[in-house]
Amino acid sequence: MNGILIHPHEVGEYWCSLLERSGLDCVALHPVGGKLAHQSLQELLDYVKTPEFKAFASRMHAHGIQVEYEFHALSWLLPREEFSRHPHWFRMDESGVRQCDFNCCASSQGALQMLEERAALLCSLLPRTSVRNRYFFWVDDIPNTSCHCPECSRLSPSDQALILYHHILRGIRRSNPEGQLAYLAYENTVQPPKTVTPEPGIFLEFAPFHRSWEVPLTQEGCIENAGAVRQLQALLEIFPAQQAQVLEYWMDNSMFSNWQRPYGRLSFHPEVIRRDAAFYHWLGINAITSFGCYLGEEYARDYGPAPVDEYAAALGAVPPAL
Ligand SMILES: [Zn+2]
């Protein structure tokens, strides 16, 4: 599987044509995260009901391209408004105060039950536009936002995240019994879980945020990339490589522009992508995607067409005969 993540508001004729001729076989819609993640997810849920989305999904289907959805879901799954009635559902910070800003308490049965119920609802609201039955309902990615209550303090941030994912998966399976859920290994959760074992249906999604994209992961002498490789190898001792998926940043123009407008020209290194993809395949990972945010029409106006075809070719994707 070779894919790309784009923002829902960029979907349109321009991206449809790019995707159809690229040879990529998966596109994921990625509403923006951060403090307003629940709002941008709600906008996605409204968007997928529109004729515009249905036309897009149908064109992708006709070209054998799976349409998936990847987003930070915690604040939608556990609405922050519940804080006044159920403060113990939410995380305790290091000074012992409950906070409703991000994530939640992984030891609160009430919170876990709510996650399960809302995950079932969320799953039912997303049209089934991929045969892979893969779901990406991520926890919040803000550093140091795990729970420090007496029960959770025994658990690493990765253990806490995996507990949340187990309950989210149970909810998903109420709506789609074939559903599988990503454990997003990124920032706080890049270390393997220690005391919690992944249940069947959880697969690894590895997003190497702290690396250099100027040189391949396997470049000798690159300390950052060697660190990312070690993290991935440790994760693969827990999660099977055959089911794992990589979420790269090779095409993430929002990140290369430091998430600030005006966006610059994408720093594109096809040889790095080619060598990284070969390394991931060598490890046994065959599902590879990258963020591809802000490479749409606006980008084309400023810098010419984004190198989506070249990205797909670097992954080894074969474009359809025209
Ligand atoms: Zn807790």
Side-chain angles (χ1 to χ4, degrees), residues 11 13 25 28 72 88 112 116 120 122 128 130 144 173 190 201 210 221 233 235 285 287 321:
V11 170
E13 176 57 38
D25 54 11
H72 295 284
H88 58 286
L112 297 173
E116 203 169 316
L122 182 52
R128 300 243 188 115
S130 168
N144 304 320
R173 287 192 160 174
V190 80
H210 296 289
Q233 285 170 330
L235 287 158
I285 302 174

Side-chain angles (χ1 to χ4, degrees), residues 128-187:
R128 300 243 188 115
T129 45
S130 168
V131 295
R132 302 197 317 145
N133 291 309
R134 288 200 155 193
Y135 294 88
F136 305 84
F137 296 178
W138 302 327
V139 302
D140 287 322
D141 65 343
I142 314 297
N144 304 320
T145 52
S146 54
C147 185
H148 296 271
C149 80
E151 292 89 75
C152 288
S153 51
R154 300 177 284 113
L155 302 162
S156 71
S158 299
D159 288 324
Q160 292 187 26
L162 188 51
I163 290 171
L164 306 184
Y165 285 134
H166 284 161
H167 286 269
I168 294 170
L169 178 62
R170 278 175 217 168
I172 287 170
R173 287 192 160 174
R174 282 196 221 166
S175 173
N176 179 358
E178 306 290 314
Q180 297 172 49
L181 178 66
Y183 168 91
L184 179 65
Y186 161 86
E187 287 282 24

Side-chain angles (χ1 to χ4, degrees), residues 221-289:
C222 179
I223 293 167
E224 284 172 302
N225 289 7
V229 168
R230 275 197 302 277
Q231 285 166 343
L232 177 55
Q233 285 170 330
L235 287 158
L236 291 177
E237 288 176 18
I238 311 268
F239 297 94
Q242 295 77 8
Q243 293 160 19
Q245 181 159 327
V246 163
L247 173 52
E248 265 287 359
Y249 297 84
W250 300 303
M251 301 289 283
D252 189 356
N253 204 32
S254 58
M255 186 191 69
F256 290 121
S257 304
N258 209 21
W259 295 277
Q260 280 176 5
R261 289 175 181 277
Y263 296 116
R265 184 187 289 277
L266 177 72
S267 175
F268 182 61
H269 302 280
E271 184 57 19
V272 172
I273 299 173
R274 198 185 62 73
R275 288 180 55 187
D276 287 345
F279 176 63
Y280 288 131
H281 290 151
W282 178 78
L283 289 169
I285 302 174
N286 291 308
I288 301 181
T289 60

Side-chain angles (χ1 to χ4, degrees), residues 46-58:
D46 295 337
Y47 170 63
V48 296
K49 292 183 198 154
T50 62
E52 289 77 19
F53 172 77
K54 288 180 178 136
F56 167 69
S58 147

